[in-house]
């Protein structure tokens, strides 16, 4: 209901113009008749400190933070939630009367998206492909929810550090080299849920994040997910579906991580079903052009 005061929320990113966040949050505000608006801002690295300071100066109620600032924004926070501390990353800022709290809702977005599909992660074996920001967020939230997790990461200069970080979170997490195809074959055969968090298959990249011989090991009782939503169905998901697996693209995870921000800002649950319909219609219209 209009009360004469419009609350402002924003996205801080570079670039920001392609983001679906304004569509997601403004659809939610309109559906729930909340007098608020969400805007996306392209922010230069040198402007990040001033941009965060403006949240206080302009009484911006909250913000999302996307690439490349999820780590860089941390020094400007007054407080971090335990999840943001664990990940060393922030995707949500809550402005509590000038006190800025940084949180990360990315991983919980994955867990909640699975809940929508009738799946719980507790006691399930999840194979996570990739250990970048999205992968680590998925691992952290899934481990907190009681999953058993095998992560495959490229054996490069960051392998040891990431291995030590992730395995310190839970005895139910192991991190193995992406190049160890024998270990990958065993893990994939045993997995309940397989989640791709790499960028293989994104945009014009038509690749698949698993070796062809390992893709043949997928079984109908397994659930295969991809963090990618452009294209709406990656070749990874197409092949998994052909082998009888249930599949999920990245749209639901994206919306649910936004829902985690939304409820903290407004104390209202996001109308997820409505938002999904609007976002899917929008993306299908882009494909049709």
């Amino acid at each position: 209901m209009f009360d004469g005061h419009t609350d402002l929320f924003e996205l801080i990113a570079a670039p920001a113009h392609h983001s679906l966040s304004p569509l997601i949050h403004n659809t939610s505000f309109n559906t729930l008749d909340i007098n608020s608006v969400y805007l996306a801002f392209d922010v230069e690295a040198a402007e990040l400190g001033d941009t965060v300071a403006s949240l206080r100066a302009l009484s911006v109620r909250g913000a999302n933070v996307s690439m490349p600032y999820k780590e860089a924004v941390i020094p400007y926070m007054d407080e971090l939630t335990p999840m943001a501390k664990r990940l060393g990353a922030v995707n949500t800022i809550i402005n509590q009367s000038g006190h800025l709290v940084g949180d990360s809702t990315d991983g919980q977005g994955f867990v909640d998206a699975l809940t929508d599909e009738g799946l719980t992660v507790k006691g399930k074996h999840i194979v996570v492909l990739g250990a970048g920001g999205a992968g680590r967020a998925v691992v952290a939230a899934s481990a907190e929810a009681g999953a058993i997790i095998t992560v495959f990461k490229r054996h490069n200069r960051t392998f040891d550090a990431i291995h030590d970080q992730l395995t310190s979170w839970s005895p139910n997490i192991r991190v193995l080299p992406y190049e160890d195809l024998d270990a990958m074959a065993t893990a994939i055969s045993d997995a309940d849920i397989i989640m791709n968090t790499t960028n293989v298959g994104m945009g014009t990249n038509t690749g698949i994040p698993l070796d062809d011989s390992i893709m043949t090991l997928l079984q109908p009782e397994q659930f295969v997910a991809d963090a990618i939503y452009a294209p709406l169905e990656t070749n990874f998901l197409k092949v998994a579906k052909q082998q009888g697996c249930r599949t999920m693209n990245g749209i639901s995870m994206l919306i649910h991580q936004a829902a985690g921000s939304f409820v903290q800002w407004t104390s209202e649950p996001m109308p997820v079903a409505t938002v999904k319909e609007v976002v899917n219609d929008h993306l299908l219209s882009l494909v049709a052009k």
Side-chain angles (χ1 to χ4, degrees), residues 112-279:
D112 291 342
L114 290 179
T115 299
D116 269 4
E117 298 291 333
L119 295 174
T120 59
V121 302
K122 186 174 182 180
K124 298 293 197 310
H125 179 198
I126 303 177
V127 170
V128 178
L129 306 177
R136 294 196 299 274
V138 165
V139 170
S142 298
E144 198 170 80
I148 301 159
I149 304 160
T150 303
V151 182
F152 285 95
K153 183 200 177 313
R154 298 292 179 193
H155 200 279
N156 54 21
R157 61 182 178 81
T158 63
F159 181 88
D160 289 340
I162 296 296
H163 173 281
D164 292 348
Q165 179 192 30
L166 269 57
T167 55
S168 72
W169 294 346
S170 168
N172 292 325
I173 299 171
R174 61 178 181 156
V175 181
L176 301 175
Y178 217 107
E179 296 80 2
D180 189 340
L181 296 185
D182 288 340
M184 186 177 281
T186 299
I188 291 294
S189 296
D190 179 66
D192 298 298
I193 299 165
I194 300 152
M195 173 60 172
N196 175 44
T197 69
T198 76
N199 61 7
V200 178
M202 181 181 294
T204 58
N205 182 331
T206 59
I208 292 176
L210 291 177
D211 187 84
D212 288 347
S213 64
I214 295 178
M215 287 296 292
T216 64
L217 301 175
L218 295 177
Q219 306 153 51
E221 63 269 22
Q222 293 175 314
F223 189 91
V224 178
D226 204 322
I228 295 169
Y229 58 83
L232 290 172
E233 186 176 56
T234 59
N235 285 332
F236 178 51
L237 295 185
K238 286 179 183 176
V239 174
K241 187 179 289 185
Q242 288 167 3
Q243 293 188 208
C245 301
R246 291 177 60 200
T247 63
M248 177 181 76
N249 67 18
I251 292 175
S252 186
M253 179 178 170
L254 174 72
I255 292 171
H256 275 288
Q257 63 83 20
S261 304
F262 188 85
V263 73
Q264 292 188 78
W265 294 335
T266 68
S267 299
E268 296 285 346
M270 178 176 280
V272 168
T274 299
V275 172
K276 278 186 180 180
E277 184 177 351
V278 170
V279 170

Side-chain angles (χ1 to χ4, degrees), residues 18 40 52 65 90 102 111 180 196 218 231 262:
H18 68 288
V52 175
V65 183
V90 164
V111 173
D180 189 340
N196 175 44
L218 295 177
F262 188 85

Side-chain angles (χ1 to χ4, degrees), residues 74 77-92 94 96 99-108 136-137 139-141 144 165 168-169 264:
I74 287 177
M77 297 295 99
D78 298 309
E79 180 184 346
L80 295 177
T81 65
M83 183 59 77
K85 285 182 181 178
R86 172 173 289 186
L87 293 172
V90 164
N91 82 326
T92 301
I94 307 102
Q96 299 176 344
H99 182 82
L100 302 184
V101 179
D103 191 17
S104 176
T105 65
D106 284 331
Q108 189 60 44
R136 294 196 299 274
V139 170
E144 198 170 80
Q165 179 192 30
S168 72
W169 294 346
Q264 292 188 78

